[in-house]
Amino acid sequence: IITSVRKWLEDKQKFGGLIEAFFEEAVRNSIAHENDKQIILSENNNDLWARCENCGNMLHIKFSKQNKSVCEERGNHLSMDSMERIEPSIDPNTWIPLDEDTISKDVLSFCDEESYENRLIRSQEKTGLPEAVQTGIGYSNGTLIAPGVMDFQFMGGSMGSAVGEKITRLIEYATQKLLPLVLVCASGGARMQEGTVSLMQMAKISSALHYYQVQKNYFIFPSLLIQPLEVLLLVLGC
Protein backbone atom coordinates (compact mmCIF):
# COMPACT_ATOMS: atom_id res chain seq x y z
CA ILE A 1 0.00 0.00 0.00
CA ILE A 2 2.81 2.43 0.95
CA THR A 3 4.56 1.71 -2.35
CA SER A 4 1.35 2.36 -4.26
CA VAL A 5 0.75 5.67 -2.45
CA ARG A 6 4.34 6.77 -3.08
CA LYS A 7 4.02 5.91 -6.78
CA TRP A 8 0.72 7.77 -6.94
CA LEU A 9 2.30 10.88 -5.41
CA GLU A 10 5.27 10.72 -7.78
CA ASP A 11 2.97 10.35 -10.77
CA LYS A 12 0.88 13.29 -9.56
CA GLN A 13 3.98 15.43 -9.12
CA LYS A 14 5.17 14.57 -12.63
CA PHE A 15 1.72 15.26 -14.02
CA GLY A 16 1.60 18.60 -12.22
CA GLY A 17 4.99 19.50 -13.65
CA LEU A 18 3.80 18.65 -17.12
CA ILE A 19 0.73 20.86 -16.69
CA GLU A 20 2.88 23.73 -15.41
CA ALA A 21 5.30 23.35 -18.31
CA PHE A 22 2.36 23.24 -20.72
CA PHE A 23 0.94 26.53 -19.42
CA GLU A 24 4.38 28.19 -19.51
CA GLU A 25 4.85 27.10 -23.12
CA ALA A 26 1.35 28.30 -23.97
CA VAL A 27 2.07 31.75 -22.50
CA ARG A 28 5.37 32.00 -24.39
CA ASN A 29 3.69 31.00 -27.64
CA SER A 30 0.92 33.51 -27.05
CA ILE A 31 3.40 36.34 -26.50
CA ALA A 32 5.44 35.33 -29.55
CA HIS A 33 2.26 35.07 -31.64
CA GLU A 34 1.13 38.51 -30.50
CA ASN A 35 4.52 39.99 -31.41
CA ASP A 36 4.34 38.34 -34.82
CA LYS A 37 0.85 39.74 -35.30
CA GLN A 38 2.11 43.23 -34.43
CA ILE A 39 5.01 42.94 -36.86
CA ILE A 40 2.71 41.66 -39.62
CA LEU A 41 0.22 44.41 -38.80
CA SER A 42 2.98 46.98 -39.09
CA GLU A 43 4.24 45.58 -42.41
CA ASN A 44 0.88 44.99 -44.07
CA ASN A 45 -0.85 48.13 -42.88
CA ASN A 46 1.73 50.83 -43.48
CA ASP A 47 -1.04 53.42 -43.71
CA LEU A 48 -2.28 52.58 -40.19
CA TRP A 49 0.58 51.57 -37.90
CA ALA A 50 4.30 52.04 -37.41
CA ARG A 51 6.79 50.66 -34.91
CA CYS A 52 9.16 52.93 -32.97
CA GLU A 53 12.69 51.95 -33.97
CA ASN A 54 14.01 52.71 -30.47
CA CYS A 55 11.52 51.32 -27.95
CA GLY A 56 9.42 49.03 -30.19
CA ASN A 57 6.15 50.76 -29.27
CA MET A 58 3.35 50.42 -31.83
CA LEU A 59 2.14 53.84 -33.02
CA HIS A 60 -0.97 54.78 -34.96
CA ILE A 61 0.15 56.73 -38.04
CA LYS A 62 -2.59 59.34 -37.70
CA PHE A 63 -1.67 60.28 -34.13
CA SER A 64 2.05 59.94 -34.88
CA LYS A 65 1.80 62.59 -37.61
CA GLN A 66 -0.19 64.85 -35.29
CA ASN A 67 2.65 64.45 -32.79
CA LYS A 68 5.26 65.48 -35.42
CA SER A 69 6.59 61.89 -35.71
CA VAL A 70 7.65 61.78 -32.06
CA CYS A 71 7.07 58.53 -30.13
CA GLU A 72 4.47 59.04 -27.39
CA GLU A 73 6.09 56.39 -25.20
CA ARG A 74 9.59 57.84 -24.69
CA GLY A 75 9.77 60.90 -26.92
CA ASN A 76 12.03 59.33 -29.55
CA HIS A 77 12.11 61.07 -32.94
CA LEU A 78 11.01 58.81 -35.79
CA SER A 79 12.32 58.90 -39.34
CA MET A 80 10.36 61.12 -41.73
CA ASP A 81 10.04 61.12 -45.49
CA SER A 82 10.41 64.29 -47.54
CA MET A 83 6.69 65.03 -47.76
CA GLU A 84 6.30 64.71 -43.99
CA ARG A 85 8.91 67.45 -43.66
CA ILE A 86 7.43 69.67 -46.35
CA GLU A 87 3.80 69.59 -45.18
CA PRO A 88 4.28 71.23 -41.74
CA SER A 89 6.79 73.73 -43.14
CA ILE A 90 4.77 75.04 -46.08
CA ASP A 91 1.43 76.85 -45.95
CA PRO A 92 -1.45 74.66 -47.24
CA ASN A 93 -1.95 74.52 -51.01
CA THR A 94 1.11 76.66 -51.78
CA TRP A 95 3.71 73.94 -52.57
CA ILE A 96 4.83 73.95 -56.23
CA PRO A 97 7.40 71.24 -57.10
CA LEU A 98 10.22 71.98 -59.55
CA ASP A 99 12.17 69.78 -61.99
CA GLU A 100 10.12 66.63 -61.34
CA ASP A 101 11.21 65.21 -64.70
CA THR A 102 14.91 65.27 -63.71
CA ILE A 103 15.92 61.66 -63.00
CA SER A 104 19.15 59.67 -62.92
CA LYS A 105 20.41 57.49 -65.78
CA ASP A 106 22.50 54.35 -65.57
CA VAL A 107 25.36 55.77 -67.65
CA LEU A 108 27.90 53.22 -66.31
CA SER A 109 25.63 50.16 -66.64
CA PHE A 110 26.49 49.53 -63.00
CA CYS A 111 25.52 46.21 -61.42
CA ASP A 112 26.32 44.63 -58.04
CA GLU A 113 23.63 42.43 -56.47
CA GLU A 114 21.21 43.96 -58.96
CA SER A 115 21.44 46.57 -61.69
CA TYR A 116 21.40 50.27 -60.87
CA GLU A 117 18.47 50.69 -63.23
CA ASN A 118 16.41 48.20 -61.21
CA ARG A 119 17.36 49.93 -57.96
CA LEU A 120 16.09 53.23 -59.33
CA ILE A 121 12.81 51.69 -60.47
CA ARG A 122 12.32 49.93 -57.12
CA SER A 123 13.00 53.14 -55.17
CA GLN A 124 10.61 55.11 -57.38
CA GLU A 125 7.86 52.55 -56.80
CA LYS A 126 8.55 52.44 -53.06
CA THR A 127 8.54 56.21 -52.46
CA GLY A 128 6.43 57.51 -55.33
CA LEU A 129 9.24 59.99 -56.04
CA PRO A 130 11.34 60.35 -59.20
CA GLU A 131 14.50 61.04 -57.19
CA ALA A 132 15.98 61.30 -53.69
CA VAL A 133 15.23 65.02 -53.30
CA GLN A 134 12.15 67.17 -53.68
CA THR A 135 12.66 70.79 -54.69
CA GLY A 136 10.12 73.53 -55.17
CA ILE A 137 8.71 76.80 -53.91
CA GLY A 138 6.01 77.60 -51.41
CA TYR A 139 4.93 80.02 -48.73
CA SER A 140 6.01 79.57 -45.13
CA ASN A 141 4.03 81.81 -42.77
CA GLY A 142 3.29 84.04 -45.74
CA THR A 143 6.90 84.28 -46.97
CA LEU A 144 7.80 82.72 -50.31
CA ILE A 145 10.77 80.35 -49.90
CA ALA A 146 12.64 77.78 -52.01
CA PRO A 147 12.94 74.49 -50.07
CA GLY A 148 14.84 71.38 -51.08
CA VAL A 149 14.15 68.28 -48.98
CA MET A 150 16.02 64.99 -49.36
CA ASP A 151 14.36 61.61 -48.76
CA PHE A 152 16.36 58.85 -47.04
CA GLN A 153 13.88 56.20 -48.18
CA PHE A 154 15.05 56.72 -51.77
CA MET A 155 18.37 54.81 -51.90
CA GLY A 156 19.45 56.25 -48.57
CA GLY A 157 19.01 59.81 -49.84
CA SER A 158 22.21 59.34 -51.84
CA MET A 159 23.28 62.09 -54.22
CA GLY A 160 23.57 61.25 -57.88
CA SER A 161 23.62 63.46 -60.95
CA ALA A 162 19.89 64.19 -60.81
CA VAL A 163 19.95 65.08 -57.11
CA GLY A 164 22.90 67.43 -57.61
CA GLU A 165 21.25 69.00 -60.65
CA LYS A 166 17.94 69.57 -58.86
CA ILE A 167 19.62 71.19 -55.85
CA THR A 168 21.80 73.36 -58.09
CA ARG A 169 18.81 74.52 -60.13
CA LEU A 170 16.92 75.33 -56.94
CA ILE A 171 19.82 77.45 -55.65
CA GLU A 172 20.08 79.27 -58.97
CA TYR A 173 16.32 79.88 -59.00
CA ALA A 174 16.44 81.25 -55.45
CA THR A 175 19.34 83.51 -56.45
CA GLN A 176 17.49 84.82 -59.49
CA LYS A 177 14.20 85.40 -57.65
CA LEU A 178 15.84 86.66 -54.42
CA LEU A 179 14.21 83.92 -52.35
CA PRO A 180 15.25 82.46 -48.98
CA LEU A 181 16.66 78.98 -49.53
CA VAL A 182 16.08 76.05 -47.16
CA LEU A 183 17.85 72.71 -47.70
CA VAL A 184 17.03 69.73 -45.50
CA CYS A 185 19.68 67.05 -45.97
CA ALA A 186 19.05 63.38 -45.08
CA SER A 187 21.74 61.73 -47.14
CA GLY A 188 23.93 58.66 -47.01
CA GLY A 189 26.50 60.36 -49.24
CA ALA A 190 27.36 60.30 -52.94
CA ARG A 191 25.78 57.56 -55.05
CA MET A 192 28.48 54.99 -55.78
CA GLN A 193 26.59 53.61 -58.79
CA GLU A 194 27.40 56.80 -60.70
CA GLY A 195 31.08 56.97 -59.76
CA THR A 196 32.85 60.28 -60.41
CA VAL A 197 29.67 61.77 -61.87
CA SER A 198 28.10 61.81 -58.40
CA LEU A 199 31.22 63.29 -56.77
CA MET A 200 31.17 66.19 -59.25
CA GLN A 201 27.83 67.30 -57.81
CA MET A 202 29.50 68.55 -54.60
CA ALA A 203 31.59 71.07 -56.52
CA LYS A 204 28.59 72.14 -58.59
CA ILE A 205 26.38 72.74 -55.55
CA SER A 206 29.17 74.52 -53.66
CA SER A 207 29.74 76.84 -56.63
CA ALA A 208 26.03 77.71 -56.83
CA LEU A 209 25.90 78.37 -53.07
CA HIS A 210 28.98 80.58 -53.28
CA TYR A 211 27.35 82.66 -56.00
CA TYR A 212 24.14 82.83 -53.96
CA GLN A 213 26.11 84.12 -50.98
CA VAL A 214 28.61 86.49 -52.62
CA GLN A 215 26.78 87.91 -55.63
CA LYS A 216 23.50 88.47 -53.82
CA ASN A 217 25.10 89.41 -50.48
CA TYR A 218 23.30 86.71 -48.51
CA PHE A 219 24.37 85.09 -45.26
CA ILE A 220 24.65 81.31 -44.97
CA PHE A 221 24.06 80.18 -41.40
CA PRO A 222 26.01 77.17 -40.06
CA SER A 223 24.41 73.76 -40.36
CA LEU A 224 22.26 72.66 -37.44
CA LEU A 225 22.35 68.95 -36.61
CA ILE A 226 18.80 67.81 -35.84
CA GLN A 227 19.13 64.02 -36.23
CA PRO A 228 21.88 61.61 -37.31
CA LEU A 229 22.52 62.12 -41.03
CA GLU A 230 19.81 64.78 -41.10
CA VAL A 231 21.09 68.34 -41.32
CA LEU A 232 19.25 71.60 -41.74
CA LEU A 233 21.00 74.28 -43.77
CA LEU A 234 19.14 77.56 -43.52
CA VAL A 235 19.94 80.40 -45.88
CA LEU A 236 18.23 83.73 -45.37
CA GLY A 237 18.46 86.99 -47.30
CA CYS A 238 19.79 90.13 -45.63
Side-chain angles (χ1 to χ4, degrees), residues 180-204:
L181 173 70
V182 179
L183 298 177
V184 180
C185 178
S187 177
R191 193 170 294 174
M192 59 176 264
Q193 290 86 352
E194 295 187 24
T196 305
V197 176
S198 64
L199 297 177
M200 292 169 58
Q201 307 309 312
M202 293 187 290
K204 185 167 67 177

Side-chain angles (χ1 to χ4, degrees), residues 32-52:
H33 180 63
E34 185 64 25
N35 289 337
D36 291 340
K37 284 173 57 180
Q38 289 181 342
I39 292 173
I40 294 172
L41 182 64
S42 177
E43 292 175 349
N44 295 342
N45 297 276
N46 292 327
D47 294 336
L48 297 177
W49 297 94
R51 181 184 292 276
C52 177

Side-chain angles (χ1 to χ4, degrees), residues 31-211:
I31 294 174
H33 180 63
E34 185 64 25
N35 289 337
D36 291 340
K37 284 173 57 180
Q38 289 181 342
I39 292 173
I40 294 172
L41 182 64
S42 177
E43 292 175 349
N44 295 342
N45 297 276
N46 292 327
D47 294 336
L48 297 177
W49 297 94
R51 181 184 292 276
C52 177
E53 299 172 357
N54 294 283
C55 68
N57 185 39
M58 293 297 295
L59 305 170
H60 196 284
I61 291 294
K62 177 181 177 180
F63 300 115
S64 177
K65 288 185 176 181
Q66 292 176 354
N67 202 35
K68 309 302 181 187
S69 293
V70 177
C71 177
E72 301 173 356
E73 185 73 18
R74 298 186 181 180
N76 297 313
H77 289 261
L78 310 179
S79 59
M80 302 171 66
D81 60 37
S82 54
M83 209 64 230
E84 288 174 330
R85 294 185 180 278
I86 292 172
E87 287 177 350
S89 306
I90 302 299
D91 297 342
N93 302 319
T94 65
W95 170 249
I96 301 176
L98 299 175
D99 300 310
E100 288 188 294
D101 57 345
T102 303
I103 58 176
S104 295
K105 300 293 183 181
D106 187 11
V107 294
L108 302 179
S109 299
F110 188 94
C111 184
D112 45 17
E113 295 180 353
E114 66 175 312
S115 68
Y116 178 40
E117 183 178 2
N118 287 344
R119 287 183 185 273
L120 288 173
I121 294 174
R122 187 156 51 84
S123 294
Q124 290 166 351
E125 293 175 347
K126 174 184 175 182
T127 62
L129 301 175
E131 259 301 338
V133 65
Q134 289 199 70
T135 58
I137 57 174
Y139 285 90
S140 180
N141 294 326
T143 300
L144 185 62
I145 65 174
V149 183
M150 303 189 78
D151 199 312
F152 194 81
Q153 295 184 15
F154 194 109
M155 294 187 66
S158 54
M159 181 181 63
S161 57
V163 171
E165 182 66 20
K166 292 184 69 171
I167 294 176
T168 301
R169 290 184 184 183
L170 180 69
I171 297 170
E172 292 174 343
Y173 184 87
T175 303
Q176 180 184 0
K177 300 297 183 180
L178 303 177
L179 298 179
L181 173 70
V182 179
L183 298 177
V184 180
C185 178
S187 177
R191 193 170 294 174
M192 59 176 264
Q193 290 86 352
E194 295 187 24
T196 305
V197 176
S198 64
L199 297 177
M200 292 169 58
Q201 307 309 312
M202 293 187 290
K204 185 167 67 177
I205 293 173
S206 297
S207 176
L209 280 175
H210 179 74
Y211 183 82

Side-chain angles (χ1 to χ4, degrees), residues 18-37:
L18 289 174
I19 293 177
E20 184 178 354
F22 171 79
F23 280 113
E24 289 179 354
E25 183 66 20
V27 171
R28 282 196 298 267
N29 290 338
S30 176
I31 294 174
H33 180 63
E34 185 64 25
N35 289 337
D36 291 340
K37 284 173 57 180

